[in-house]
Amino acid sequence: MPRHSFGPFRKPLGLQRRDGGFTLIEIMVVIFIIALLAALVVPKIIGRTEEAKQTAAMTQIREFENALSLYHLDNGAYPTTEQGLEALIKKPTLPPEPTNYKSGGYISKIPKDPWGHPYIYLSPGSHGDFDIMSYGADGTRGGKGNNKDIVSWDLEK
């Protein structure tokens, strides 16, 4: 039986499939598309990190404010500066000792701010019964942008 190019095992020459993989043009198009997507997405993600940390600091300060309100309702006063925020997790031993301290405390732990610095607590505060502050990314008072201080008296209620 003679073999010809239109037999059951061969396709016509114009329909034969190449087995060589991707061409350079195809690879370059894919790389271009990936680079374009990265150029659009990455700047938006990178800029959000500091914004998320500032939002987290504001949220933690609000949690402290809520716990301090409960402490005040139970004991008639806020913890002093010397007693600090630690008074929310463990009954203070420094005077004035609370008279009606809630068993188990008012908050489970006192985290550091999102930049790894302790929160600053003052009672009485300069702006109210108490002040709670995070000095931001640089850890020093003042600053703008990422280094902006997050303060309890300036939060939107």
Side-chain angles (χ1 to χ4, degrees), residues 72-156:
H72 183 265
L73 284 172
D74 287 348
N75 302 291
Y78 292 102
T80 64
T81 300
E82 293 76 26
Q83 292 170 332
L85 292 172
E86 294 295 320
L88 298 174
I89 57 171
K90 184 178 174 188
K91 184 177 180 180
T93 55
L94 297 172
E97 290 186 40
T99 55
N100 194 24
Y101 192 84
K102 179 183 163 194
S103 175
Y106 296 87
I107 197 168
S108 61
K109 65 178 184 171
I110 306 298
K112 292 190 176 198
D113 72 13
W115 300 276
H117 308 292
Y119 284 95
I120 292 89
Y121 171 76
L122 301 173
S123 179
S126 305
H127 299 89
D129 293 323
F130 59 83
D131 295 344
I132 306 171
M133 299 166 275
S134 165
Y135 288 151
D138 63 355
T140 59
R141 189 173 210 146
K144 295 182 182 193
N146 295 340
N147 297 326
K148 175 183 167 189
D149 296 348
I150 312 296
V151 293
S152 60
W153 62 90
D154 208 18
L155 297 179
E156 297 172 9

Side-chain angles (χ1 to χ4, degrees), residues 12-72:
L13 290 176
L15 299 176
Q16 287 183 357
R17 188 173 175 176
R18 60 185 167 105
D19 295 328
F22 298 107
T23 66
L24 180 60
I25 298 291
E26 291 170 330
I27 293 172
M28 288 176 62
V29 167
V30 170
I31 290 173
F32 175 76
I33 291 171
I34 292 172
L36 183 64
L37 289 173
L40 295 172
V41 173
V42 170
K44 292 181 182 187
I45 293 172
I46 289 174
R48 296 287 192 172
T49 303
E50 284 304 316
E51 185 179 320
K53 286 182 179 183
Q54 289 174 352
T55 301
M58 288 185 243
T59 301
Q60 288 174 340
I61 288 174
R62 284 191 190 105
E63 288 177 18
F64 294 147
E65 289 175 330
N66 292 336
L68 286 164
S69 293
L70 292 173
Y71 182 100
H72 183 265

